[in-house]
Amino acid sequence: QVKLVESGGGLVQPGGSLSLSCAASGSIFSVRSMGWYRQAPGKERDVVATITPGGSTFYTESVKGRFAITRDNAKKTVYLQMNSLKPEDTAVYYCRQWISTVPSGSYSPHWGQGTQVTVSS
């Protein structure tokens, strides 16, 4: 069984910073892409940033230059450093990791429980 545990959300003023982390544990053979997604009230869950095992990154346009995604492959952990936060960044943030639990190479997506990020004065 695989479990993803997120931490680091909270309340911050506009212009402030927060750091999120997401650690995977359990019966894990290999991890492929890792990413962060967010869902604001009344909206669909959208991608924020993703990172490949080799470190190639993707950012949605609205967070470019403000957010940074990194990963520690040995710790099976993905991080999201969020700077210059805006009220429109308010959402529940979810991590996702593509994980294989057996050596056959079959990967499936696993999600964290979500962590609330609120940007407000």
Side-chain angles (χ1 to χ4, degrees):
Q1 188 175 359
V2 175
K3 185 176 182 181
L4 271 62
V5 177
E6 302 178 22
S7 62
L11 172 65
V12 64
Q13 292 185 342
S17 298
L18 280 176
S19 181
L20 307 182
S21 65
C22 169
S25 62
S27 180
I28 298 171
F29 177 74
S30 179
V31 182
R32 191 172 282 174
S33 176
M34 298 179 176
W36 289 94
Y37 295 72
R38 65 187 179 187
Q39 186 167 20
K43 296 187 177 182
E44 295 185 351
R45 188 177 300 185
D46 290 326
V47 62
V48 176
T50 62
I51 186 168
T52 67
S56 296
T57 58
F58 165 84
Y59 296 95
T60 193
E61 191 64 34
S62 62
V63 308
K64 286 182 179 178
R66 300 188 297 122
F67 290 11
I69 186 171
T70 57
R71 63 188 283 168
D72 185 325
N73 292 325
K75 294 182 178 179
K76 302 179 181 64
T77 299
V78 60
Y79 307 92
L80 187 68
Q81 177 64 41
M82 304 183 292
N83 300 322
S84 302
L85 282 159
K86 304 175 181 180
E88 50 264 42
D89 294 317
T90 296
V92 177
Y93 283 70
Y94 299 88
C95 65
R96 186 178 77 175
Q97 298 191 25
W98 286 85
I99 293 173
S100 171
T101 58
V102 295
S104 67
S106 174
Y107 290 81
S108 60
H110 296 263
W111 292 90
Q113 80 280 11
T115 185
Q116 177 69 47
V117 171
T118 302
V119 185
S120 175
S121 55

